[in-house]
Amino acid sequence: MKRAGITAVVLLLPFSVMGYGYPASLESGTGLFGIDAVTASVGGAGTVDPGGAAVFLNPSGLALLGSARIQGSIGPVLSNESVETPYGRFNVATIAPGVAGLAAAIPAGPGLGFGAGLCRLSDFSYKGEYFGYTGTGGSDSTVTVFEQQNNSGGIWEASAGVGARVFTGVYAGVSGGYRFGSGTRDYFHDTSVDTAYTVIETWEESSFAYGAGLTGVFSALRIGASYQSGMDMYPSRVRTGVVFGDMTAWEPALGADLEVRFPGDSTQFTVRVYGGSLLSGRTLYGRAALFMFSPPGSDAGEGLGFSLGMSLKMSETLDFDAALSWMNQSRTGDVFGGYAENASVTDTNTGITAGITWTQKR
């Protein structure tokens, strides 16, 4: 079979583009593990104590920072789709863009702070392959159909925000900016009897983005809630969470976070439990998280994952941040290309993120 035939280029908005795993976040991509290495190390939790990334997650947190800071991170995601069928097991491994973000926050007085940044919010990368056979799948089998799909793209946001104390122990914040993105679906089809062809579909979208949040500080207890607007390819979401301790000050902390997304008429959730603690004097701070999420697809079960990370103090003002995130989700009968049988599919994604945090000397 030769890769030949026709190529069609179609401009569509929206169309069904998949995330890291098919049908991960159908028509809205796959949410990344976090905004930067700090938030990725706690599984993407950001309702309370998100540091400089507060402008994207809960802008009221900008009012709680004691000094100016700049955070930047980047990293890839290693993705693997394993399909178990009567013909055998098929694995497709890919490397996709992961976390990428830069944010700055500046205190302007007691209980008042400003922030701005640029970050990648979601990814549409996916690679799938399907083989159609005659025979039983053994040595007597012949491949009669080959399909391949490669998706790429992502959603970005540039925003600025302000957080301020409105009452004793109560802080509010708002943010606004520009959200934009594009994506491509490259589909190839070949059979032993017909001419091969390729179909390329693209989309592009942009809109005004806004968010709002509240944080309550009651001694060592912090409670937060936030809202982020959505668009066709990025669903709106609400978050709420609670933390004992202050992670931005490298204190021992334990928290829980709930995120609910609203793609179309459905809802999806992610629940996280996370914590942080000093590991070595005042030079190394560790973080960890466990999370559960509901993926799309009627035959998909809840996914599970964890994150580990740390911040290493390289100087009085500079920290090196790193995070390792992993998630796993299984389903049946929902495979790119489709199998006549109920195939068992497992998606495994591993994110690696590294960055730096600069904090102004007090």
Side-chain angles (χ1 to χ4, degrees):
M1 295 183 285
K2 299 180 180 179
R3 183 161 182 153
I6 61 174
T7 298
V9 181
V10 187
L11 182 63
L12 298 176
L13 179 62
F15 71 96
S16 296
V17 64
M18 317 310 168
Y20 293 132
Y22 181 92
S25 300
L26 184 66
E27 293 188 352
S28 58
T30 298
L32 300 176
F33 288 104
I35 300 299
D36 53 20
V38 174
T39 52
S41 65
V42 290
T47 311
V48 185
D49 291 343
V55 65
F56 300 111
L57 300 170
N58 185 346
S60 64
L62 296 169
L64 295 167
L65 296 174
S67 59
R69 65 172 56 200
I70 300 174
Q71 294 176 208
S73 299
I74 193 169
V77 170
L78 312 178
S79 180
N80 182 77
E81 180 184 74
S82 179
V83 184
E84 186 77 36
T85 77
Y87 298 121
R89 173 174 293 179
F90 303 94
N91 292 281
V92 180
T94 57
I95 299 179
V99 173
L102 178 66
I106 304 173
L112 179 65
F114 297 90
L118 171 69
C119 77
R120 198 163 186 266
L121 295 176
S122 63
D123 185 80
F124 290 82
S125 299
Y126 173 76
K127 181 179 180 180
E129 294 180 345
Y130 166 69
F131 297 89
Y133 292 90
T134 60
T136 62
S139 58
D140 63 332
S141 297
T142 302
V143 176
T144 57
V145 178
F146 173 68
E147 296 178 79
Q148 185 180 71
Q149 181 167 298
N150 287 280
N151 298 336
S152 62
I155 298 292
W156 292 78
E157 182 178 322
S159 283
V162 57
R165 183 173 57 230
V166 292
F167 303 107
T168 301
V170 179
Y171 302 81
V174 294
S175 65
Y178 182 63
R179 188 176 294 147
F180 58 96
S182 62
T184 299
R185 170 181 174 266
D186 185 344
Y187 171 80
F188 174 70
H189 180 96
D190 195 6
T191 71
S192 58
V193 295
D194 297 321
T195 302
Y197 65 88
T198 298
V199 177
I200 299 176
E201 299 172 336
T202 65
W203 61 266
E204 186 173 358
E205 185 181 21
S206 62
S207 72
F208 175 70
Y210 60 90
L214 292 170
T215 300
V217 180
F218 310 97
S219 186
L221 173 66
R222 298 188 177 201
I223 302 174
S226 66
Y227 169 81
Q228 275 75 43
S229 65
M231 57 185 188
D232 285 341
M233 308 301 282
Y234 186 79
S236 61
R237 60 204 60 208
V238 296
R239 297 181 176 95
T240 184
V242 56
V243 176
F244 293 90
D246 184 357
M247 298 187 74
T248 60
W250 284 26
E251 296 177 358
L254 181 64
D257 184 273
L258 170 65
E259 176 183 330
V260 182
R261 302 172 295 280
F262 304 96
D265 297 329
S266 62
T267 58
Q268 300 168 6
F269 70 88
T270 300
V271 178
R272 308 173 179 93
V273 178
Y274 61 97
S277 178
L278 283 167
L279 300 179
S280 176
R282 296 291 302 177
T283 61
L284 185 64
Y285 189 83
R287 306 177 187 88
L290 295 173
F291 54 90
M292 179 175 67
F293 59 95
S294 60
S298 59
D299 296 320
E302 281 71 25
L304 299 173
F306 69 85
S307 291
L308 300 171
M310 62 86 183
S311 292
L312 174 65
K313 191 164 290 298
M314 302 175 66
S315 70
E316 192 172 0
T317 59
L318 191 65
D319 301 336
F320 171 74
D321 307 313
L324 173 67
S325 306
W326 178 90
M327 65 181 183
N328 178 275
Q329 184 264 325
S330 298
R331 61 184 185 273
T332 57
D334 206 353
V335 187
F336 163 72
Y339 286 88
E341 305 79 9
N342 267 341
S344 175
V345 188
T346 300
D347 293 311
T348 303
N349 303 300
T350 303
I352 302 170
T353 310
I356 59 173
T357 296
W358 174 86
T359 307
Q360 184 182 36
K361 184 178 179 180
R362 297 188 183 184

